[in-house]
C-alpha cells in the first residue's frame, strides 16, 4: 500500500483537543477533514515521538510535532455500473449532475445498485482521487428518489471537505420548482393562522419550524416546535392555475437543508405537493375550476411535483462562483401545460 507521510507542527494557542488542533493546523492542501483525521487516529496512523495518538480528545501543546501517515485511497466496495448520466459540469474535483426521477442517490439495503453512486463510479473511473480514504464520489447533499434536478458531488477529498463546509454553513444557493395544491397567498387568512408560517415583502411565504423523524413512521419527517432541527423554507408564487385558482407553480428556496424539508413544510402550510403520497395524498380538484385535462393530469401525476432547478456554490478548490440551472423535466412541463388550459379547455 502506498503511504504519504505528513509532519504537522502545532501552532500557538492550540485547541485543547487533538482532533481540533490538527484540523486547524494541517495544511489545507492535505485536504484532511476532522472525520478523516479521527479515522486515521483510530487506525494508529497519527503519532507523536513514535507513540500512537488514538484519542481525538487527547491533549496537545504548542510546538508538538505530529506525524500523520495517510494511506493511498482504496477501491470502493460499491460496484461501478454503466448508467447514463446528464452531466452539467465536471472538472478534476467535482461533478454536477441533473438527476432523473426514479434514481436513488446512494446504495442502501433496499436499493443496493442502480444508484447515482454506482453510475458515478463507472463514469469517473480513475479520476476519483479519494474521499475519506476510499475511491468513491463524495456525496454532500441528496435529493429524494422521485425528485429530479441538480446535485454536486465531490471527486476529491479537498472538494468534499470544502463543499461539506458550505452546506453546513447554509451558504449554498438552492432553488426548487414545485406544483402544489392551493395558492400560498398572504391574503389567505387560513394560511396566516398556521403556526410557523408568515409572509415577507413580495408575498413570499416563510415557513420556520423544527423537523425530526416521525415517532411512528420512520420514513417520514414531522414538524415540531421544540426539539428536532431548525428548518426554514421560503416560497414564491410563479403561476396560479384554475378559475378560481386552485393550484400553483411555486419557487421554493432553502435556508436550511433537511430531509424532505420542502415536502413536509408545504404540507404543514396546507399546500402539499401534487403527487406527494407521503405528505399530501391526492386531493379532489374540480373540473369546473381546472378543466378535465388539468384534473386528470394532477390525479395521475405519479410522484411529488418537485425539481431542484438552481444550484449555486463557491468552487471549493478554485474559489470561483458556480451557478447552474436545470430546466423542468417533461413530466412537470406536461402537468403545468394541462393545468394552464383551465375549465374552457
Amino acid at each position: 500500500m502506498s503511504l504519504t507521510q505528513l509532519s504537522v507542527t502545532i501552532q500557538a494557542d492550540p485547541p485543547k483537543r487533538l482532533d481540533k488542533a490538527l484540523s486547524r493546523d494541517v495544511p489545507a492542501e492535505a485536504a484532511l477533514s476532522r472525520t478523516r483525521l479521527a479515522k486515521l487516529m483510530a487506525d494508529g496512523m497519527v503519532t507523536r515521538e513514535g507513540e500512537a495518538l488514538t484519542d481525538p480528545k487527547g491533549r496537545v501543546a504548542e510546538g508538538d510535532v505530529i506525524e500523520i501517515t495517510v494511506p493511498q485511497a482504496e477501491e470502493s466496495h460499491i460496484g461501478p455500473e454503466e448508467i447514463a448520466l446528464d452531466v452539467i459540469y465536471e472538472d478534476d474535483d467535482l461533478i454536477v449532475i441533473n438527476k432523473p426521477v426514479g434514481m436513488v442517490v446512494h446504495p442502501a439495503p433496499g436499493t443496493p445498485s442502480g444508484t447515482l453512486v454506482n453510475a458515478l463510479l463507472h463514469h469517473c473511473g480513475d479520476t476519483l482521487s479519494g474521499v475519506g480514504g476510499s475511491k468513491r464520489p463524495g456525496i454532500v447533499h441528496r435529493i429524494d428518489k422521485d425528485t429530479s434536478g441538480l446535485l454536486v458531488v465531490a471527486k476529491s477529498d479537498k472538494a468534499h471537505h470544502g463543499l461539506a463546509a458550505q452546506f453546513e454553513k447554509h451558504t449554498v444557493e438552492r432553488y426548487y420548482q414545485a406544483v402544489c395544491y392551493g395558492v400560498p397567498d398572504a391574503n389567505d387568512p387560513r394560511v396566516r393562522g398556521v403556526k410557523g408560517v408568515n409572509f415577507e415583502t413580495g408575498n413570499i411565504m416563510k415557513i420556520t419550524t423544527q423537523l425530526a423523524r416521525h415517532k411512528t413512521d420512520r420514513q417520514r419527517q414531522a414538524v415540531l416546535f421544540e426539539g428536532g432541527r431548525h428548518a426554514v423554507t421560503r416560497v414564491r408564487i410563479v403561476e396560479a392555475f384554475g378559475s378560481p385558482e386552485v393550484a400553483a407553480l411555486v419557487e421554493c428556496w432553502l435556508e436550511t437543508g433537511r430531509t424532505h424539508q420542502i415536502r413536509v413544510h408545504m404540507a404543514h402550510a396546507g399546500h402539499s405537493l401534487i403527487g406527494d403520497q407521503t405528505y399530501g395524498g391526492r386531493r379532489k380538484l374540480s373540473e369546473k375550476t381546472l378543466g378535465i385535462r388539468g384534473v386528470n393530469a394532477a390525479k395521475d401525476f405519479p410522484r411529488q411535483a418537485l425539481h431542484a432547478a438552481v444550484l449555486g456554490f463557491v468552487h471549493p478548490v478554485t474559489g470561483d462562483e458556480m451557478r447552474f440551472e436545470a430546466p423542468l423535466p417533461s413530466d412537470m412541463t406536461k402537468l403545468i401545460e394541462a393545468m394552464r388550459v383551465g375549465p374552457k379547455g
Side-chain angles (χ1 to χ4, degrees):
M1 179 184 294
S2 177
L3 303 173
T4 299
Q5 299 295 138
L6 183 65
S7 183
V8 179
T9 301
I10 301 301
Q11 301 302 305
D13 300 318
K16 292 182 179 180
R17 289 174 54 123
L18 172 63
D19 58 349
K20 291 184 178 181
L22 283 178
S23 183
R24 184 194 71 172
D25 292 338
V26 165
E29 57 268 22
L32 294 177
S33 66
R34 197 162 144 196
T35 301
R36 179 78 168 115
L37 286 167
K39 187 176 187 305
L40 291 172
M41 289 180 212
D43 292 342
M45 298 293 187
V46 179
T47 63
R48 179 175 51 200
E49 296 181 353
E51 178 186 357
L53 304 175
T54 58
D55 183 4
K57 298 179 182 178
R59 300 293 182 177
V60 70
E62 178 183 347
D64 283 354
V65 178
I66 310 297
E67 303 292 339
I68 304 174
T69 302
V70 183
Q72 185 179 27
E74 301 174 350
E75 296 297 328
S76 172
H77 69 282
I78 301 171
E81 296 179 40
E82 189 172 358
I83 301 170
L85 291 172
D86 183 2
V87 178
I88 305 299
Y89 173 84
E90 183 176 10
D91 62 24
D92 290 342
D93 294 289
L94 58 84
I95 183 169
V96 178
I97 299 292
N98 184 15
K99 187 190 83 67
V101 172
M103 177 179 276
V104 174
V105 172
H106 198 281
T111 50
S113 62
T115 71
L116 178 62
V117 170
N118 295 109
L120 286 170
L121 284 167
H122 179 272
H123 174 85
C124 297
D126 292 336
T127 65
L128 291 171
S129 63
V131 172
S134 176
K135 285 189 177 180
R136 59 178 177 84
I139 304 298
V140 291
H141 68 128
R142 305 185 189 198
I143 55 179
D144 299 331
K145 174 184 175 181
D146 289 328
T147 298
S148 57
L150 295 169
L151 278 165
V152 59
V153 180
K155 294 171 61 178
S156 68
D157 243 336
K158 188 169 185 179
H160 188 255
H161 191 41
L163 287 170
Q166 291 180 57
F167 276 94
E168 185 177 356
K169 294 176 182 176
H170 309 305
T171 58
V172 178
E173 179 186 12
R174 282 177 290 174
Y175 284 83
Y176 289 72
Q177 289 188 309
V179 184
C180 67
Y181 290 103
V183 182
D185 193 288
N187 294 317
D188 182 355
R190 182 206 58 80
V191 74
R192 281 189 168 276
V194 177
K195 186 175 181 180
V197 176
N198 59 63
F199 283 84
E200 299 178 328
T201 303
N203 202 22
I204 293 170
M205 181 171 70
K206 180 182 179 183
I207 309 168
T208 306
T209 74
Q210 306 294 109
L211 293 181
R213 196 179 294 275
H214 196 280
K215 289 183 179 180
T216 58
D217 186 347
R218 308 303 288 173
Q219 302 303 312
R220 291 165 55 98
Q221 296 292 307
V223 166
L224 304 173
F225 292 95
E226 291 184 6
R229 304 180 73 188
H230 182 63
V232 179
T233 305
R234 286 179 171 84
V235 183
R236 179 181 69 85
I237 302 165
V238 177
E239 184 177 356
F241 308 109
S243 179
E245 297 168 344
V246 292
L249 170 65
V250 296
E251 183 178 62
C252 307
W253 60 101
L254 302 176
E255 187 173 307
T256 56
R258 311 302 183 200
T259 301
H260 297 178
Q261 179 174 319
I262 290 173
R263 297 166 63 193
V264 69
H265 264 175
M266 290 298 287
H268 172 70
H271 293 287
S272 57
L273 304 189
I274 286 176
D276 191 343
Q277 291 300 293
T278 302
Y279 296 102
R282 297 194 188 277
R283 296 190 194 176
K284 188 173 182 179
L285 295 170
S286 169
E287 293 179 11
K288 292 182 179 180
T289 59
L290 197 59
I292 189 168
R293 283 185 58 190
V295 167
N296 287 339
K299 182 180 66 174
D300 297 336
F301 202 74
R303 53 112 177 175
Q304 64 266 9
L306 182 63
H307 174 68
V310 176
L311 180 64
F313 55 89
V314 176
H315 194 293
V317 177
T318 67
D320 293 337
E321 294 278 351
M322 314 287 284
R323 193 176 191 272
F324 304 95
E325 297 185 26
L328 282 172
S330 61
D331 63 345
M332 283 185 66
T333 299
K334 290 175 182 176
L335 170 66
I336 291 166
E337 289 173 349
M339 299 180 87
R340 278 180 182 149
V341 172
K344 295 181 181 180

